[in-house]
């Protein structure tokens, strides 16, 4: 391997870590099944993905993607409206692809999801992380996401930082460990979380009627579910523009 100047820690917590070594990413995961899902999902996805260099127990090596992300949660968007629309078109291509044979993160049953949401809302208030009125309001909004949906091939963790573009062209999508059958609007909501101003651009590229109320419901639902986990794993959901601000914007 060519010499590199440093190893960059991209993200790390008790479940998994991602390191960048030159033009290669090393993903270390305590759950081998997530690595297996990631490799299989990338092989099936009809959109650009990183090249798999090698895979060993608990470690996956993949290539870096050209271009840059469209922005990050809590920060400004660096992508043009056309780039956001191109991302919407790529997401639609994924959702129209043949279904993988396994459920994904966005494919949990409605009863299971509602129970998880209710339990998390109770903990957020009991532990004093969020005020009761903020939780109650967003729990009410989140109800719209708990409805029957037609399964699609979903990414399952389509954060803005996982989509790369060069100019107005999408060059690739990373981090497929949560992929599988799921609710297409969950992907659209995850991608636009904290960047509501670009929702119309994404939907224009997606190219079909989309229930915006359900996307907004997923913003509330997803944020309620992750605030406590993020706080306990070294991340800051209270940072400007992040999950807690998303919840506050619904008031």
């Amino acid at each position: 391997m060519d010499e590199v100047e440093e190893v960059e820690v991209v993200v790390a917590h008790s479940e998994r870590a991602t390191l960048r070594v030159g033009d290669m990413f090393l993903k270390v995961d305590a759950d081998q099944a997530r690595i297996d899902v990631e490799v299989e999902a990338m092989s099936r996805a009809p959109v650009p993905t990183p090249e798999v260099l090698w895979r060993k127990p608990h470690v996956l090596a993949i290539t870096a993607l050209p271009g840059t992300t469209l922005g990050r949660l809590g920060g400004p968007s660096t992508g043009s409206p056309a780039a956001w629309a191109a991302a919407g078109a790529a997401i639609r291509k994924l959702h129209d692809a043949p279904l993988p044979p396994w459920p994904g993160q966005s494919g949990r049953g409605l009863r299971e999801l509602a129970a998880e949401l209710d339990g998390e809302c109770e903990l957020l208030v009991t532990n004093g992380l969020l005020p009761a009125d903020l939780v109650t309001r967003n729990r009410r909004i989140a109800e719209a996401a708990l409805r029957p949906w037609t399964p699609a091939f979903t990414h399952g963790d389509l954060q803005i930082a996982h989509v790369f573009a060069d100019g107005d062209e999408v060059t690739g999508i990373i981090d497929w460990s949560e992929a599988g059958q799921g609710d297409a609007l969950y992907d659209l909501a995850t991608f636009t979380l904290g960047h509501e101003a670009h929702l119309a651009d994404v939907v224009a590229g997606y190219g079909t009627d989309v229930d915006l109320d359900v996307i907004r419901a997923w913003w509330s639902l997803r944020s309620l579910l992750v605030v406590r986990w993020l706080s306990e794993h070294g991340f800051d959901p209270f940072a400007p523009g992040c999950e807690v601000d998303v919840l506050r914007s619904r008031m």
Side-chain angles (χ1 to χ4, degrees), residues 25-103:
F25 285 90
L26 295 177
K27 304 190 69 175
V28 184
D29 200 315
D31 185 352
Q32 179 64 34
R34 284 194 292 248
I35 292 178
D36 296 339
V37 164
E38 179 152 9
V39 173
E40 182 65 19
M42 288 193 295
S43 73
R44 293 171 176 266
V47 296
T49 62
E51 177 187 353
V52 175
L53 299 174
W54 49 263
R55 173 177 31 157
K56 295 182 178 181
H58 298 290
V59 183
L60 173 66
I62 58 176
T63 58
L65 289 172
T68 59
T69 64
L70 299 184
R72 62 179 178 84
L73 183 62
S77 166
T78 56
S80 67
W84 282 86
I91 297 169
R92 177 61 184 273
K93 189 174 183 180
L94 173 66
H95 291 168
D96 285 345
L99 292 174
W102 67 87

Side-chain angles (χ1 to χ4, degrees), residues 73 108 113 116-117 120-121 124 129-130 134-135 138-139 142 186 189-190 192-195 215-231 237-238 241-250:
L73 183 62
R108 287 170 290 174
L113 187 59
E116 181 183 357
L117 178 60
E120 200 61 39
C121 288
L124 288 171
L129 275 174
L130 294 176
L134 183 65
V135 172
N138 279 276
R139 173 62 182 85
Y186 178 90
T190 302
T192 55
L193 184 74
H195 290 278
I215 288 180
R216 296 184 179 104
W218 271 119
W219 288 340
S220 291
L221 198 159
R222 190 180 191 281
S223 296
L224 288 169
L225 289 182
V226 301
V227 164
R228 187 172 61 89
W229 187 93
L230 291 170
S231 299
F238 292 86
C242 292
E243 286 81 3
V244 175
D245 271 358
V246 170
L247 296 173
R248 289 170 177 157
S249 71
R250 303 298 103 189

Side-chain angles (χ1 to χ4, degrees), residues 13 48 53 55 60 72 80 110 125 165 205 214 235 237 251:
H13 50 78
L53 299 174
R55 173 177 31 157
L60 173 66
R72 62 179 178 84
S80 67
L110 298 182
V125 176
V214 173
F235 302 98
M251 299 296 286

Side-chain angles (χ1 to χ4, degrees), residues 4-16:
V4 295
E5 294 183 356
E6 62 179 14
V7 174
E8 176 189 358
V9 179
V10 179
V11 63
H13 50 78
S14 60
E15 295 179 2
R16 66 187 91 173

Side-chain angles (χ1 to χ4, degrees), residues 20 23 25 48 63-71 78-79 83 160-174:
R20 180 164 187 164
D23 290 332
F25 285 90
T63 58
L65 289 172
T68 59
T69 64
L70 299 184
T78 56
I160 184 176
H162 293 165
V163 179
F164 285 72
D166 185 1
D168 298 336
E169 178 183 356
V170 173
T171 56
I173 300 176
I174 64 172

Side-chain angles (χ1 to χ4, degrees), residues 95 99-100 102-114 142-156 178-188 206 211 214-215 217-218 221:
H95 291 168
L99 292 174
W102 67 87
Q105 173 68 11
S106 64
R108 287 170 290 174
L110 298 182
R111 184 174 300 178
E112 173 192 356
L113 187 59
E143 190 70 28
L146 303 175
R147 87 285 176 223
W149 40 267
T150 301
F153 186 167
T154 56
H155 180 280
E178 308 291 350
Q181 295 185 28
D183 181 359
L185 296 190
Y186 178 90
D187 271 356
L188 292 175
Y206 194 74
D211 191 329
V214 173
I215 288 180
W218 271 119
L221 198 159

